[in-house]
Amino acid sequence: MIINKINKKVIKRGQEKSIYLTFDDGPNEIYTPKILDILDEFGVKATFFVVGKNAERCPKIVKRIHREGHDIGNHTYSHPGSPLLKARKRRFIKKEIVKTDRVIENIIGERPILFRPPLAFWDISSGFLKRQAKEFGHLYIGWSFSTMDWLGNQFIIKKKYLQQPKNDGDIVLLHDGSENTLVKRRWATVKMLPEIIRDCRDNSLQPLPLTSSL
Ligand SMILES: [Zn+2]
């Protein structure tokens, strides 16, 4: 199985259909443990793209994510709101990536291999970032299916995710934390997660952590 060139989907061989639930912007003291409890209850493994400064604040939760068999990816140290791609800012981006790698490695004893940039517009303007991630040995991961859960509204998640067709290999964007967004609460994500998992299973899609596709 391979994560394809644009990293929007996981292309794999074989019969079983898979889907990849990914959680960004945590860890968060309130929401991440609730999400981990639900994943555990359903026997589902997922991927958490953690923000370095949050990981530093909540090392016990990072350890729990790792201990329970989920993937941990790098989502920069401070979740900067702009790509800052001018040459003089490149050093800043490198620092954001390297610092977060160190924070994660210090907590779980492993360097992450997955990297997701913050905010969608980074994704659009990030040729440099992609090269940089590769240079640090990371796989650059986007998503193919946004639940729009950052709006913190269960109805929107229902409309945007549950009522839309999902495909084999889809990478689903969810949030256990909040950065650069007006809505800070993640109760909608917590409340809808059991339905999202049931929906995967109803569609014969097995939720897996991203590194299981490597
Ligand atoms: Zn983010």
Side-chain angles (χ1 to χ4, degrees):
M1 294 186 275
I2 54 160
I3 296 176
N4 78 356
K5 277 182 187 161
I6 52 166
N7 288 310
K8 294 297 185 193
K9 250 186 198 181
V10 176
I11 310 280
K12 58 185 190 52
R13 304 166 198 104
Q15 292 299 311
E16 194 192 43
K17 291 202 289 177
S18 309
I19 197 159
Y20 302 86
L21 303 181
T22 65
F23 295 89
D24 285 13
D25 297 1
N28 176 285
E29 294 88 335
I30 300 167
Y31 308 110
T32 312
K34 302 260 180 235
I35 285 167
L36 288 168
D37 288 347
I38 296 167
L39 294 173
D40 182 51
E41 190 188 322
F42 283 86
V44 162
K45 306 291 180 210
T47 302
F48 290 79
F49 285 96
V50 304
V51 172
K53 66 181 166 100
N54 296 341
E56 241 170 19
R57 201 183 64 243
C58 312
K60 281 186 182 167
I61 302 177
V62 177
K63 272 185 191 156
R64 181 178 167 195
I65 296 171
H66 180 63
R67 193 176 59 237
E68 297 187 0
H70 307 288
D71 282 348
I72 294 177
N74 180 328
H75 194 45
T76 71
Y77 184 78
S78 65
H79 205 277
S82 95
L84 301 168
L85 285 180
K86 287 179 185 163
R88 65 195 164 88
K89 301 289 186 187
R90 291 187 175 191
R91 207 185 302 171
F92 168 80
I93 290 171
K94 284 188 188 185
K95 237 175 148 177
E96 284 278 320
I97 298 175
V98 172
K99 203 171 172 186
T100 305
D101 273 352
R102 284 202 194 115
V103 169
I104 295 170
E105 191 170 10
N106 283 341
I107 299 171
I108 66 168
E110 282 174 27
R111 203 171 154 273
I113 57 165
L114 307 171
F115 172 76
R116 174 178 280 165
L119 307 171
F121 56 76
W122 279 65
D123 202 37
I124 296 160
S125 59
S126 55
F128 166 72
L129 207 61
K130 286 181 183 174
R131 285 194 300 279
Q132 199 62 76
K134 205 173 166 189
E135 190 186 305
F136 292 132
H138 292 127
L139 279 171
Y140 185 99
I141 306 290
W143 63 85
S144 60
F145 214 119
S146 173
T147 58
M148 304 284 281
D149 72 325
W150 51 273
L151 287 166
N153 183 306
Q154 291 182 61
F155 178 74
I156 291 173
I157 298 174
K158 210 170 248 182
K159 266 274 196 232
K160 288 285 169 195
Y161 183 76
L162 291 171
Q163 294 172 8
Q164 307 291 329
K166 270 76 56 181
N167 296 303
D168 187 16
D170 266 333
I171 299 173
V172 180
L173 177 66
L174 291 145
H175 294 80
D176 59 328
S178 57
E179 298 288 336
N180 309 94
T181 175
L182 281 175
V183 183
K184 298 286 178 198
R185 292 173 168 221
R186 292 289 164 252
W187 288 119
T189 308
V190 171
K191 285 182 182 154
M192 294 306 285
L193 186 56
E195 277 198 54
I196 288 171
I197 296 170
R198 278 187 214 109
D199 176 85
C200 295
R201 293 186 170 157
D202 289 348
N203 288 286
S204 305
L205 292 161
Q206 174 66 30
L208 295 171
L210 278 162
T211 59
S212 69
S213 68
L214 304 177

